[in-house]
């Protein structure tokens, strides 16, 4: 059981990295599409659905894996090493929530860009 919990914690961190990576790729492709021509817009339109699936899958894993992580925090995570981490964890989650909200705005903005540009269809 310990190995499964540790693997969950690892994959929870990987899901966070995948979510951030998908957002960065989306941002770069969107920036290129605004500056570039039809080829850049087409690249954005092609990547958008797949990056969206990665983002949604990552968010689902972050939430579900986070539940397990919270349950076993004091025995298998930093809580096992350090007591009194509540402030640091609150700050971390406020930052992560802000990043997710920013990412949602980015996704909506990118979708509108794709819909507005005739080269994407």
């Amino acid at each position: 059981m310990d190995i499964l919990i540790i693997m969950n914690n690892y994959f929870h961190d990987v899901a966070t990295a995948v979510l951030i990576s998908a957002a960065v790729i989306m941002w770069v492709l969107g920036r290129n599409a605004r500056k570039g021509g039809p080829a850049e817009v087409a690249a954005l339109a092609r990547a958008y659905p797949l990056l969206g699936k990665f983002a949604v899958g990552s968010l689902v894993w972050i939430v579900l894996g986070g539940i397990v992580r919270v349950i076993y925090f004091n025995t298998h995570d930093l809580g096992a090493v350090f007591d009194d981490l509540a402030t640091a964890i609150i700050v971390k989650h406020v930052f992560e929530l802000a990043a997710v909200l920013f990412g949602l705005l980015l996704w909506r903005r990118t979708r509108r860009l794709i819909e507005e540009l005739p080269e994407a269809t």
Side-chain angles (χ1 to χ4, degrees), residues 75-120:
T75 58
H76 290 82
D77 215 315
L78 289 176
V81 181
F82 303 106
D83 291 334
D84 204 23
L85 283 177
T87 303
I89 292 170
I90 290 169
V91 169
K92 178 186 88 156
H93 281 91
V94 167
F95 175 76
E96 290 172 343
L97 179 61
V100 168
L101 294 174
F102 176 76
L104 289 172
L105 292 174
L106 172 69
W107 245 260
R108 290 183 64 182
R109 180 177 170 198
T110 302
R111 185 180 67 223
R112 272 188 261 125
L113 175 67
I114 291 170
E115 291 169 353
E116 291 172 0
L117 296 172
E119 294 93 352

Side-chain angles (χ1 to χ4, degrees), residues 1-66:
M1 188 64 167
D2 289 340
I3 291 172
L4 292 176
I5 294 167
I6 292 168
M7 288 175 61
N8 172 75
N9 293 352
Y10 171 75
F11 287 125
H12 182 263
D13 293 342
V14 170
T16 302
V18 169
L19 181 62
I20 292 168
S21 299
V24 168
I25 293 167
M26 181 65 65
W27 177 73
V28 169
L29 289 174
R31 193 168 165 205
N32 287 344
R34 283 182 198 83
K35 291 180 180 179
E40 287 81 7
V41 174
L44 174 63
R46 280 191 312 272
Y48 181 82
L50 183 59
L51 289 171
K53 288 177 184 176
F54 274 103
V56 169
S58 295
L59 278 172
V60 168
W61 186 263
I62 289 167
V63 171
L64 296 178

